[in-house]
Amino acid sequence: MPMRLPTLSDPAAGHRSSGAAWATAGAVSILAGLAVLGRLDMATACLAAAATTGLGVWAAWRTRTPAPSQTAGDDPSAAPAQGATQTAFEDALENLPDPLLIASAGEPDDLAGKRLVFANAAARALLRIPRDGALLLSAIRRPEVLEAVDEALFGGVSGTVSFETGGAQDRFWRIWTTPLSGRADSSLCLILMRDETDARRNERMRADFLANASHELRTPLASLTGFIETLRGHARDDEGARERFLGIMAVQADRMARLVDDLMSLSRIELNEHIPPDGRCDLSVTVTDVLDALGPIATTKQVRLRPDLPAPGKAEIVADRDQVIQVVQNLVDNALKYSPPGADLKVIVRSSLKKDAASASDLASPRLTSPDGGRQSLLSPDRTDGELYCMVRVVDQGPGMAKRHLLRLAERFYRVEGQKSGERSGTGLGLAIVKHIVNRHRGGLWVESAPGAGAQFTAYFPQAKPVPQAQPDLGRLEPDIVTKPS
Amino acid sequence: MSEHTLKFFGDELTQLKAEVTRMGGLVEAQVEDAVECVARRDVDLAQTIVGRDLKIDEMQREIERKAIRMIALRQPVAQDLRRTVAAMKMAWNLERTGDQAKSIAKRSLILATSEPLTPLTRAVERMGKLVASRLKESLDAYTIADLERGFAVWNADEEVDEHYDSLFRELLTYMMGDPRTISSCAHLLFIGKNLERIGDHATNIAEILQYEVTGEEIAGDRPRWSSHMAAESPADPTAGDDQ
Ligand SMILES: Nc1ncnc2c1ncn2[C@@H]1O[C@H](COP(=O)(O)OP(=O)(O)O)[C@@H](O)[C@H]1O
Ligand SMILES: [Mg+2]
C-alpha cells in the first residue's frame, strides 16, 4: 500500500506515536470483531484495515488542526508526505459503505462538549449531520449507544450495541465503539455502524410464518375434535345431527388438506426459487386449460368467463408449465370467489410487451379514479434490458379492495378483513404462491383495485425467444422421425 | 448584562437543551422498546422499560429544576426565555410520553400470559412503528431547531388516527369472532390508545419547537379524529390509567 504508516522511528510522526499505537490496537480489535462476526467481505475489510490503522493519528491530527490547509505550519518538513497520507485515510473513511463517526469529549458531565470531529458520507446521509462539529447528541440519542460511547471515551473500553430504529424504514443496527487515544486532554471514540436489518427481518418472518401456519391449522382441527366428541356423546343416536356434523367435518378436513397442499407447494417453490425454469409454455393454451377446468364452478356461480387471448403459438414463455397453471388458477379462483352472479370475468393475455407496457395502467379506469382505489406493484423483475414479456391479466367485477390493502396481499395469510367470501374459505396463501412462482420466472406482478370497482391482477413472464426453424436438411432426410416420433 | 454573562447563559442553554435531547433519546428508546416487547412477547424487555421509567422522571425533575434556576437567576428575555421555557415543556411532554410507554410495557406483560394473537399484534406493531417514527422526527426537528420538519410532523397527525381506526375495527371483528380473545383484545386496544397519545405528544413537541423559535403557535386546527370515530369508539380507555 502506498501509504506511509507512522512508526516510532518515523521522525515525522514521532510526537504522535502513542496515538498511533493505540489506534493500531483499536483498529486490530475492530477488525478482529468484524472478522469473527463474518460481517465484512474481503474488500471492505482491506479498506477498513487501511483506514483504521492510521485512524488515531489522523483523528488526533484532525482535532489538533482545524483545517487541512494548516498542516504545513504545523510541521513543515513532513507536510507533503503527511498531507498525502492523511488525504488517503480521509478518503478511505469517507468512502466506507458503513456509517462511521469519531467523537471527542472533554469532561464526562459536559453533554455539550461531546462532539463529532468526523462523520463519513454514509453517516452524514443517515444522521443528517455536517462532516464535523455536530453535537454527538444531535446525531445519536439512543441511550445504550451513548453509554457505550462514554465507556470508550472515559473508560477506554470497546463495546458493541445493537438496536432497532423506530423510523418508518425500521432498521436494525449493530454499533461498535472503540477508544482511539488521541491526546492527553481530549479522548476520542470511533463509532462504526452496520445495518443488519435483512438478517433480522428473515428471522422474524420465519417465526411469524410458523406461528401463522400452526394457528391456521389449529382452527379446523379444533372444530374436528369438537365434532368427534359430540358424535361420541349426545349426538350418537341422532341420525340428522350425525349427517350434518359429518358434512361440516368433511368441509373442515378439506380445508386442512388445502392448507397442507398450499404449504407444501409454497415450500417446494421456495426451494427452487433460485433455479430459473427451462421449459416453454404457451400462455394462451394454459389459460384455456385452466378456464376449461374452472368452467363448471363459473356456471354454478353464474359468472361469465370472458377470455381474450392471442392465437396459440403467439404467447410463448420460458416457464414451468405446472407452475404457470397454478398462477392462473389462483388468480381466476380469487376472481371467481368475489364475483357476484351475472358478472363478467375477463382473462386477457398479451405478448411482446416491454416491461413498461406490461405494468402500465389505464389511468381512466374507475379502479384508479375512485377515492380509495389505486395500484400497487407486488413484484418487479430486476434486470429488464430489452426483455419482452407476455402478460396474463384477470379482471373481475367483485367488491374490490381499498388501496391500503394492496401492498400486503402477497403476504402469507394476509386476508382483507370484512370481506364476505363465504366464510374464510381460502388459505390466504394463494397470492403468496403466485408471487413466489412469478419471482422464480423473473417476471412481475401487480394489482389495481378500488372498493366497488373490482380487482385486476396482472402477472407477466419473460417471453420465449422464437425457436430457430427445424433444420431443413434433417427434415428432408428423415421427415417421419422429425415430425412424428413413433 | 456583560458580554461574559451573555456567553455563559448561552452555554447553559446549550447544556440544558442537550439534556432534553438525551432525555428525548431515552424516551424514544422506551417507546421503540415498548412496541418491540408487544411484538416479540419479550417479558425481560418489558420489565427493563418499567424500571427505566424512574430515570425519566428523575431527568424531568432535574431539567425543570435547572430551567427554573436559570430563569430566576438570569431573568432571560425573548428567545432565551422561550428556549428555557421550551426545555421545561419538552421535559413535561417527554415524561408523559415515557408514562405511556411504561403503560404499554405493563400491558405487554399481561398479554404475554395469554395466547398470541399474531395478526393483531402485527397491526399494533405497525401503528407503533409509525408513532415511534413521528416521535423521532419531532425530536430530530427539535434537536436542530428545524421548523419545517417539525411542521411536517404536526401536519401528518391524521395517519395515526387512521391506524387506530383500522386497528379498532380489526379488534372488534376478532372479539366478535372468538369471545375468548376479548381480554387480550381489550389490552391491545388500550395499547393502541397509548400509542395514539404518544402520537399526540409528538405533535406537541412540534408545537413547542414552533413556540421556541417564533414565539407563536401554529395557525389552524390540527387534523383531529374523524367524526364517525368519535361516535363509535369506546370512552377513553386509558382515562385514569396508571401513570
Ligand atoms: N379478486 C379479488 N377481489 C377482492 N379481494 C381479493 C381478490 N383476490 C384476493 N383478494 C384478497 O386477498 C386475500 C389474499 O388472497 P389469497 O392469497 O389468494 O388468499 P385466499 O384466497 O386463500 O384467501 C384474500 O383473502 C382477499 O381478501
Ligand atoms: Mg386465493
Side-chain angles (χ1 to χ4, degrees), chain A residues 2-3 47 51 82-95:
Chain A
M3 284 179 216
L47 189 57
Q82 192 76 6
T85 312
Q86 251 104 41
T87 314
F89 283 145
E90 199 156 341
D91 272 359
L93 293 181
E94 173 72 7
N95 293 308

Side-chain angles (χ1 to χ4, degrees), chain A residues 262 329-331 333-335 337-338 426-431:
Chain A
D262 276 358
Q329 191 162 2
N330 273 312
L331 294 180
D333 222 37
N334 282 346
K337 193 154 51 177
Y338 297 101
T427 58
L429 291 172
L431 290 173

Side-chain angles (χ1 to χ4, degrees), chain A residues 109-115 126 128 135 137-144 146 150 163-168 170 172 200 203-204 208 211-212 215 218 404 408 411 414 417-418, chain B residues 11 14-15 18-19 21-22 24-26 28-29 32-33 36 39-40 52 115-116 118-119 122 125-126 129-130 132-133 135-137 139-140 143-144 149 166 169-170 173-174:
Chain A
D109 289 339
D110 183 8
L111 288 182
K114 285 176 213 161
R115 293 195 172 263
L126 175 73
R128 297 188 266 197
L135 215 58
L137 266 164
S138 71
I140 296 174
R141 288 192 298 265
R142 189 78 200 183
E144 303 93 303
L146 293 176
D150 274 358
F163 69 94
E164 209 170 333
T165 54
D170 182 12
F172 186 90
R200 275 301 168 121
E203 198 179 293
R204 171 77 67 89
D208 268 12
N212 280 325
H215 175 78
R218 242 185 51 170
R404 74 197 136 99
R408 305 193 53 211
E411 266 174 40
Y414 184 79
E417 92 267 1
Chain B
D11 286 352
T14 314
Q15 199 68 241
E19 263 177 69
T21 307
R22 185 172 58 168
L26 187 56
E28 207 179 332
E32 282 162 13
D33 288 350
E36 191 70 9
R40 292 220 187 139
R52 274 194 311 220
E115 276 294 292
T118 312
R122 289 292 166 264
E125 190 185 0
R126 272 194 304 280
K129 293 261 147 89
L130 173 72
S133 79
L135 183 63
K136 174 182 186 306
E137 273 298 307
L139 283 169
D140 280 352
T143 309
I144 56 171
R149 275 167 81 181
S166 124
R169 283 168 202 285
E170 211 169 322
T173 324
Y174 231 81

Side-chain angles (χ1 to χ4, degrees), chain B:
Chain B
M1 241 184 273
S2 73
E3 178 74 1
H4 175 78
T5 332
L6 273 176
K7 168 132 187 0
F8 193 49
F9 187 80
D11 286 352
E12 254 180 291
L13 251 184
T14 314
Q15 199 68 241
L16 186 69
K17 196 159 170 165
E19 263 177 69
V20 172
T21 307
R22 185 172 58 168
M23 178 176 178
L26 187 56
V27 170
E28 207 179 332
Q30 290 283 83
V31 173
E32 282 162 13
D33 288 350
V35 174
E36 191 70 9
C37 69
V38 176
R40 292 220 187 139
R41 299 164 68 81
D42 189 333
V43 174
D44 286 345
L45 185 60
Q47 263 142 6
T48 313
I49 293 173
V50 176
R52 274 194 311 220
D53 192 58
L54 292 175
K55 172 100 175 127
I56 292 178
D57 293 350
E58 190 191 306
M59 283 170 134
Q60 185 252 320
R61 281 194 297 274
E62 179 70 15
I63 290 169
E64 193 179 301
R65 201 178 56 74
K66 279 197 182 151
I68 291 178
R69 210 176 133 255
M70 280 165 69
I71 294 174
L73 288 183
R74 311 203 172 270
Q75 305 186 341
V77 291
Q79 189 166 26
D80 282 348
L81 176 61
R82 288 203 305 274
R83 280 196 189 147
T84 320
V85 173
M88 212 158 36
K89 284 188 175 193
M90 282 294 290
W92 290 332
N93 241 289
L94 289 171
E95 191 268 330
R96 306 250 296 280
T97 312
D99 284 341
Q100 301 289 338
K102 180 177 72 176
S103 171
I104 295 176
K106 284 186 175 170
R107 292 187 196 287
S108 84
L109 286 172
I110 306 175
L111 281 172
T113 60
S114 51
E115 276 294 292
L117 299 172
T118 312
L120 292 176
T121 314
R122 289 292 166 264
V124 169
E125 190 185 0
R126 272 194 304 280
M127 178 171 177
K129 293 261 147 89
L130 173 72
V131 168
S133 79
R134 283 172 54 76
L135 183 63
K136 174 182 186 306
E137 273 298 307
S138 66
L139 283 169
D140 280 352
Y142 171 79
T143 309
I144 56 171
D146 184 336
L147 272 184
E148 212 167 297
R149 275 167 81 181
F151 189 72
V153 175
W154 185 85
N155 214 17
D157 199 28
E158 238 165 327
E159 209 182 334
V160 176
D161 293 343
E162 272 169 26
H163 265 77
Y164 182 70
D165 184 288
S166 124
L167 174 69
F168 180 66
R169 283 168 202 285
E170 211 169 322
L171 282 166
L172 270 192
T173 324
Y174 231 81
M175 289 195 259
M176 289 189 304
D178 185 353
R180 282 170 307 175
T181 63
I182 286 182
S183 138
S184 294
C185 285
H187 282 295
L188 287 170
L189 186 61
F190 292 156
I191 290 177
K193 194 70 203 164
N194 290 134
L195 289 172
E196 207 217 352
R197 290 265 182 90
I198 295 174
D200 285 347
H201 286 306
T203 317
N204 290 345
I205 291 176
E207 283 172 3
I208 296 174
L209 169 63
Q210 172 85 12
Y211 160 82
E212 177 191 278
V213 178
T214 66
E216 289 156 17
E217 293 188 357
I218 305 185
D221 273 343
R222 221 156 93 181
R224 286 286 49 194
W225 280 36
S226 49
S227 51
H228 71 280
M229 273 306 297
E232 242 181 75
S233 38
D236 188 348
T238 45
D241 207 13
D242 55 333
Q243 302 257 311

